[in-house]
């Protein structure tokens, strides 16, 4: 699982990663699903307000906006300098 990030690190290539543990039952297909593969896509693409059994919370809007900001900055500056300035740390072996 960590072979590619380690290889990138060993070749001095910048690597950013995230672990999605965001669980928003009101926008999940089934309230008990929690975070799962691709569950962040609604937040990333801004479509989270279009589905779910209840309206989105202020916190969901904040998470979605911040996540979108990070992705947009990476698209503008793939070197990652802006991500570091925004507080997204570079990955390193043993880092949390």
């Amino acid at each position: 699982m960590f072979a590619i990030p380690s290889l990138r690190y060993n070749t001095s290539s910048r690597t950013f990663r995230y672990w999605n543990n965001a669980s928003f039952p009101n926008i999940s297909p089934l309230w008990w699903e929690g975070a799962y593969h691709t569950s962040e896509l609604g937040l990333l693409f801004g479509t989270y307000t279009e589905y779910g059994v209840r309206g989105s919370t202020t916190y969901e809007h904040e998470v979605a906006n911040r996540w979108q900001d990070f992705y947009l900055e990476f698209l503008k500056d793939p070197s990652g300098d802006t991500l570091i300035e925004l507080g997204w740390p570079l990955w390193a072996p043993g880092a949390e």
Side-chain angles (χ1 to χ4, degrees):
M1 177 175 188
F2 297 106
I4 293 174
S6 296
L7 177 62
R8 291 183 54 80
Y9 181 82
N10 291 336
T11 59
S12 299
S13 299
R14 288 180 163 184
T15 301
F16 297 88
R17 70 178 189 164
Y18 69 94
W19 177 46
N20 176 37
N21 196 22
S23 178
F24 299 112
N26 62 314
I27 61 173
S28 293
L30 299 171
W31 66 269
W32 48 265
E33 288 184 319
Y36 54 89
H37 183 67
T38 73
S39 66
E40 77 277 19
L41 293 182
L43 297 168
L44 290 175
F45 292 117
T47 58
Y48 63 99
T49 60
E50 298 178 20
Y51 54 90
V53 294
R54 296 182 298 277
S56 297
T57 66
T58 300
Y59 182 64
E60 286 169 331
H61 291 294
E62 291 171 357
V63 169
N65 289 339
R66 186 71 168 154
W67 222 335
Q68 291 169 11
D69 289 345
F70 278 124
Y71 272 64
L72 181 59
E73 289 306 321
F74 180 71
L75 292 172
K76 290 180 187 176
D77 177 19
S79 74
D81 289 336
T82 308
L83 289 178
I84 295 168
E85 291 171 14
L86 290 173
W88 194 333
L90 286 169
W91 180 84
E96 293 285 326

